[in-house]
Amino acid sequence: MSPRQPATRPAGDCRAQLDELFAYLDAELSLARCRVIERHLSQCPCCDSLAEGLRQAIAACRARGRQRVPAAVRQRARVAARTLVRRR
Amino acid sequence: MPGAPRSSAVTLAGNPHLSERQAAEVARYAALVERAAAGDAQALEHLLVDAQELAWRFSMTVCGHPEDAEDAMQEALMRTYKHVPQVRNPESFRPWLYRTVRNACLMSRRRRVDEPRHMVPLDDLLPVPGAQAPPASDRRPSGRTPEDVVVNAGLRRRLNAAMAKLPAPFRAVVFLREMEGLSTRETAATLGTSEDNVKTRLHRARLFLQKELAVWREGAPAPVDGRPASRSRKGVRR
């Protein structure tokens, strides 16, 4: 990183690779591009840490999955659907 | 494993952009719609319950008001009931349902008093170069992959609280892509925006969520009720 850059900004190279990093995490990169990103991650603790945090955030969202609908709400939905269907 | 080429993006429902799970959902809905359109009352009832539950999940995640969720459920119920007999292409039902639910939710939604209007600037979401990264043992516990993450109660509360700090358009993208499992293309169609816009919002939202979850892992107390512990606007630029 250039010494003129503010300390609070990520290095230009890392920032330029953000889109690639997301594509990598979404498994949308070719094997060749994966290797390039993996090489960068192995050499850049800052990006490696970010990638790990992103993996965990994505995994947490996916593991949360679909929010469970409360039993009372589900029951009301069933009653409303049944009532409508029987009215046909 | 994230990072591996996506070999599972097969063309199960004639759409190369769908994963197996997404294609299975499309096929499940298509079968239900065909049966319902042919007069199967049980299939129609199933679709009507699904539509209402989706409306509830969307509304509660994106809007957060139980009253709005009830209104959205009613709207989704009636629109689905009227639409099903007219469906010509059963595979088009699922995207239609998501669009309808999204419209029903946005029609009835009331903005939260503390709801952020703007996303945190990108620079505030990126790590500081040269900052000391956690030890490798902390970052990559041996034998665990991100898929193994168990969403315990604390993490779920923190995730819900972090989601609540996102502006609604970003929340909608996370909800559709990560929680409902829609593809980028389906999400863009549902929200009436471009795929590039969906990707941009998703990336920014992920950066925000990873930052919030990292703060929590570093020792901040988890919120009590799925909302931020403080209703302050700290961290969100207006």
Side-chain angles (χ1 to χ4, degrees):
Chain A
M1 187 174 79
S2 154
R4 280 173 171 263
Q5 281 183 290
T8 53
R9 298 289 178 266
D13 274 0
C14 304
R15 189 165 176 157
Q17 296 205 38
L18 254 187
D19 283 345
E20 288 270 290
L21 175 60
F22 279 113
Y24 170 74
L25 294 173
D26 284 332
E28 290 171 349
L29 286 187
S30 66
L31 275 176
R33 293 303 303 162
C34 279
R35 287 199 193 101
V36 172
I37 283 287
E38 281 164 359
R39 198 177 313 127
H40 176 74
L41 294 180
S42 70
Q43 294 164 357
C44 177
C46 183
C47 283
D48 190 43
S49 178
L50 176 66
E52 187 58 25
L54 286 168
R55 278 196 192 98
Q56 293 188 8
I58 294 167
C61 286
R62 291 182 182 168
R64 175 186 179 272
R66 293 179 173 174
Q67 193 174 359
R68 186 172 292 182
V69 176
V73 173
R74 174 167 286 191
Q75 182 59 22
R76 280 202 297 282
R78 283 192 182 139
V79 170
R82 194 161 299 157
T83 305
L84 204 53
V85 169
R86 284 184 182 166
R87 207 191 289 164
R88 291 170 98 196
Chain B
M1 158 76 190
R6 178 170 285 171
S7 59
S8 60
V10 291
T11 316
L12 290 185
N15 185 340
H17 300 277
L18 297 185
S19 68
E20 283 183 45
R21 177 187 159 196
Q22 290 160 348
E25 276 283 284
V26 171
R28 186 177 79 84
Y29 269 115
L32 274 173
V33 169
E34 271 186 17
R35 282 171 47 205
D40 183 331
Q42 201 175 11
L44 177 59
E45 197 176 311
H46 197 122
L47 283 174
L48 294 176
V49 172
D50 267 13
Q52 291 177 87
E53 290 190 356
L54 172 59
W56 187 89
R57 291 196 305 269
F58 190 108
S59 190
M60 288 304 290
T61 304
V62 178
C63 308
H65 286 291
E67 300 87 354
D68 289 353
E70 295 285 340
D71 291 348
M73 284 174 71
Q74 180 67 19
E75 189 69 23
L77 173 73
M78 295 311 297
R79 288 197 199 178
T80 305
Y81 180 71
K82 287 177 188 162
H83 178 75
V84 167
Q86 302 164 12
V87 175
R88 295 286 170 268
N89 173 14
E91 288 192 1
S92 69
F93 177 78
R94 185 168 174 257
W96 174 89
L97 179 62
Y98 274 91
R99 274 197 310 277
T100 300
V101 162
R102 178 250 183 190
N103 291 339
C105 290
L106 296 188
M107 259 176 50
S108 58
R109 98 182 259 264
R110 278 155 271 204
R111 187 180 287 275
R112 284 200 335 259
V113 174
D114 63 339
E115 184 170 317
R117 287 174 186 274
H118 303 293
M119 187 55 166
V120 179
L122 181 59
D123 282 342
D124 292 355
L125 296 173
L126 296 173
V128 178
Q132 195 165 3
S137 57
D138 287 356
R139 285 185 274 126
R140 221 164 256 163
S142 62
R144 289 187 71 196
T145 66
E147 290 77 12
D148 295 332
V149 171
V150 175
V151 182
N152 59 37
L155 178 55
R156 185 183 291 268
R157 279 197 297 273
R158 168 54 65 182
L159 186 61
N160 289 344
M163 285 282 286
K165 289 186 190 175
L166 285 170
F170 292 80
R171 224 164 30 235
V173 169
V174 175
F175 171 76
L176 293 171
R177 282 287 282 119
E178 308 286 33
M179 293 161 184
E180 292 289 317
L182 266 62
S183 66
T184 301
R185 178 173 286 189
E186 289 176 314
T187 303
T190 299
L191 299 176
T193 189
S194 67
E195 291 184 42
D196 281 347
N197 196 321
V198 166
K199 283 187 180 178
T200 302
R201 286 183 193 170
L202 183 63
H203 296 174
R204 293 284 289 277
R206 283 171 170 177
L207 284 168
F208 180 81
L209 294 176
Q210 76 84 25
K211 192 168 185 179
E212 289 286 309
L213 295 180
V215 169
W216 172 60
R217 285 193 194 94
E218 285 160 15
V224 178
D225 61 354
R227 294 266 179 234
S230 159
R231 289 292 186 102
S232 79
R233 295 166 185 178
K234 188 181 175 188
V236 177
R237 192 171 70 173
R238 295 242 163 198

